[in-house]
């Protein structure tokens, strides 16, 4: 496993989203893949935070079907599932793409940063 962490700090919600995505991605790699290597890359760009978990394994047919079923049955008790990774990313205004990529499987999550000045408070209606 190789970890490249380029994020010095992020809001707790982003950290939790990435932590659960990493946990699920690694769990799926162990359970469903014949990977020998996996890389986890966290990036801090001016407008977004990004996570990429990539393995080099071939997904076994029965395992690929089990992973695909998580899209259909996201409440399956086997883990948080790919659909939950996507749901968590969307809840933060971001996106997630999970699936086969090159010679393995990739979980790719992007979360946008708040626009500068969006933290300013607006006066309440009727305030003088």
């Amino acid at each position: 496993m190789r970890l490249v962490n380029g994020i010095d700090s992020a809001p707790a919600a982003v950290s939790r989203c990435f932590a659960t995505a990493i946990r699920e991605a690694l769990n799926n790699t162990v359970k469903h893949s014949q990977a020998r290597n996996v890389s986890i890359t966290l990036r801090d760009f001016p407008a977004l935070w990004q996570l990429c978990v990539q393995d080099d394994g071939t997904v076994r047919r029965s395992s690929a079907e089990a992973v695909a079923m998580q899209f259909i049955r996201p409440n399956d008790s086997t883990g948080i599932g790919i659909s939950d990774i996507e749901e968590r990313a969307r809840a933060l205004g971001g996106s997630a793409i999970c699936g086969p990529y090159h010679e393995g499987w990739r979980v790719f999550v992007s979360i946008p940063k708040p626009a500068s000045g969006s933290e300013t408070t607006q006066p309440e209606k009727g305030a003088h």
Side-chain angles (χ1 to χ4, degrees):
M1 185 177 81
R2 188 181 121 230
L3 171 66
V4 176
N5 184 3
I7 298 177
D8 289 329
S9 68
V14 173
S15 296
R16 282 190 302 273
C17 176
F18 283 176
T20 56
I22 291 167
R23 186 176 324 129
E24 182 64 15
L26 292 177
N27 184 49
N28 285 345
T29 296
V30 169
K31 287 173 66 174
H32 304 296
S33 172
Q34 297 171 350
R36 293 182 4 190
N37 299 292
V38 63
S39 65
I40 302 167
T41 307
L42 296 143
R43 295 184 180 109
D44 188 342
F45 292 109
L48 58 93
W49 294 283
Q50 189 178 78
L51 164 68
C52 182
V53 181
Q54 173 75 48
D55 72 40
D56 65 356
T58 56
V59 177
R60 297 181 293 254
R61 175 126 174 94
S62 62
S63 294
E65 291 169 359
V67 170
M69 288 304 291
Q70 291 182 3
F71 284 107
I72 299 165
R73 295 185 321 212
N75 295 326
D76 190 300
S77 62
T78 59
I80 66 164
I82 292 169
S83 60
D84 193 52
I85 292 171
E86 294 168 339
E87 184 178 313
R88 287 173 185 264
R90 278 193 306 271
L92 296 172
S95 63
I97 301 169
C98 307
Y101 187 78
H102 288 287
E103 298 295 321
W105 187 271
R106 181 174 78 166
V107 172
F108 186 81
V109 182
S110 293
I111 307 294
K113 292 181 177 178
S116 63
S118 66
E119 292 85 16
T120 60
T121 57
Q122 299 294 324
E124 291 181 27
K125 288 185 178 183
H128 296 240

